[in-house]
Amino acid sequence: VQLQASGGGLVQAGGSLRLSCAASGSIFSIKAMGWYRQAPGKQRDLVAVITSGGSTTYADSVKGRFTISRDRARNTMYLQMDSLKPEDTAVYYCNADHFNGRTVYWGEGTLVTVSS
């Protein structure tokens, strides 16, 4: 499975961005997909996850502001980010978990910068 993230950029606080993650390869093997982020000097943290069944989970810090979704026809996952805050500034990575529970795929990150 190959993942390609896009959509990052510079936005003012209160603004919105939509990230995309296009998946290719053995898509049928994916159990769940998610977004993680890593701010400078910090660890990589979970932002949101969506399972193959459509269930979603969000980090407390983004609940009510971010929405994760998946377009099966386009093999693409999205992260709609609204009401952005400077603390949302980070490199955002898309991720996919294999049904085998052992294999994890990562895409290259896309930088989101929120100015105050």
Side-chain angles (χ1 to χ4, degrees):
V1 175
Q2 295 78 45
L3 304 173
Q4 181 64 52
S6 61
L10 174 64
V11 63
Q12 288 188 332
S16 299
L17 278 177
R18 188 177 79 158
L19 305 183
S20 300
C21 177
S24 60
S26 302
I27 307 299
F28 60 89
S29 67
I30 296 174
K31 177 180 182 180
M33 296 183 72
W35 290 97
Y36 288 71
R37 67 186 180 186
Q38 187 167 18
K42 296 187 177 181
Q43 66 181 20
R44 189 175 298 186
D45 292 325
L46 174 69
V47 175
V49 173
I50 185 166
T51 69
S52 57
S55 298
T56 58
T57 302
Y58 296 91
D60 288 343
S61 59
V62 306
K63 282 182 181 177
R65 301 188 298 122
F66 290 11
T67 304
I68 190 171
S69 62
R70 188 172 175 178
D71 185 333
R72 292 182 179 276
R74 290 181 169 82
N75 293 329
T76 301
M77 174 180 65
Y78 302 98
L79 185 69
Q80 178 66 42
M81 305 185 293
D82 299 318
S83 301
L84 282 161
K85 303 176 181 180
E87 51 263 45
D88 294 318
T89 294
V91 177
Y92 284 71
Y93 298 89
C94 60
N95 153 286
D97 293 333
H98 196 286
F99 272 106
N100 65 18
R102 300 186 303 275
T103 306
V104 179
Y105 306 96
W106 290 96
E108 292 186 0
T110 184
L111 177 63
V112 172
T113 303
V114 184
S115 63
S116 57

